[in-house]
Amino acid sequence: FAAHYKTGERIPKELVAQLVAAKDEGAGLFNLRQVFFGMFDMAIHNTEDANVDVEATYRALREQITRFSGGSGPGCGAATFGHMMGGYDAGYYGYLWAKSFSADMYATRFTKDGITNARTGMDYRREILCPGGSIDASVGLERFLGRAPSSAAFLESIGVANSQ
């Protein structure tokens, strides 16, 4: 499998097993952070009059969602989140949404039918890739899946839920 580049010594199977078992370490915190960023993005971009205290909103949502306090020192945590000035405009949540949909497509079609199945590949091309932005993405997704999307495969992929 893998070997040391100088000695040629093989990586022990036990170490590989430990690495695989630890793949989801921190997944909960990482995904809470993503939820926080998405909620913060929506909070500062969806105001009636654009009158929002960005730092207060950042600190309050961070504590509410991740359970980490903003600390008492000076600083502007929101300034560390560069996506806010890059044109996302309440769209950051799309990262997790896309991961959820891709996990669902992979588990539902590619795992079941096989990653090299020509029909599945053509269905993906026809229903997901070809329409691009010409149809609502949920329409193509439901056509490809043959049902409404589910977050179960995503939650399982990050170790939050077990397959049943």
Side-chain angles (χ1 to χ4, degrees), residues 106 108-121:
Y106 187 79
T108 300
R109 294 291 308 273
F110 292 104
T111 299
K112 185 180 114 201
D113 301 339
I115 193 74
T116 61
N117 182 286
R119 179 170 179 243
T120 302

Side-chain angles (χ1 to χ4, degrees), residues 41-54:
D41 180 18
M42 286 188 270
I44 66 171
H45 285 104
N46 290 325
T47 63
E48 294 287 324
D49 61 3
N51 185 13
V52 60
D53 183 334
V54 172

Side-chain angles (χ1 to χ4, degrees), residues 11-30:
I11 188 170
K13 289 184 181 184
E14 299 80 26
L15 180 56
V16 172
Q18 290 174 333
L19 291 169
V20 169
K23 84 173 184 62
D24 295 325
E25 184 69 31
L29 183 57
F30 173 82

Side-chain angles (χ1 to χ4, degrees), residues 3-82:
H4 190 278
Y5 78 102
K6 285 184 180 177
T7 67
E9 180 184 358
R10 296 276 181 204
I11 188 170
K13 289 184 181 184
E14 299 80 26
L15 180 56
V16 172
Q18 290 174 333
L19 291 169
V20 169
K23 84 173 184 62
D24 295 325
E25 184 69 31
L29 183 57
F30 173 82
N31 285 289
L32 272 179
R33 182 175 177 262
Q34 293 299 97
V35 168
F36 157 66
F37 282 147
M39 296 296 289
F40 173 67
D41 180 18
M42 286 188 270
I44 66 171
H45 285 104
N46 290 325
T47 63
E48 294 287 324
D49 61 3
N51 185 13
V52 60
D53 183 334
V54 172
E55 188 57 23
T57 302
Y58 183 92
R59 287 177 187 250
L61 284 173
R62 182 173 185 252
E63 189 165 340
Q64 177 188 351
I65 295 168
T66 68
R67 302 292 188 217
F68 288 108
S69 72
S72 59
C76 184
T80 67
F81 188 25

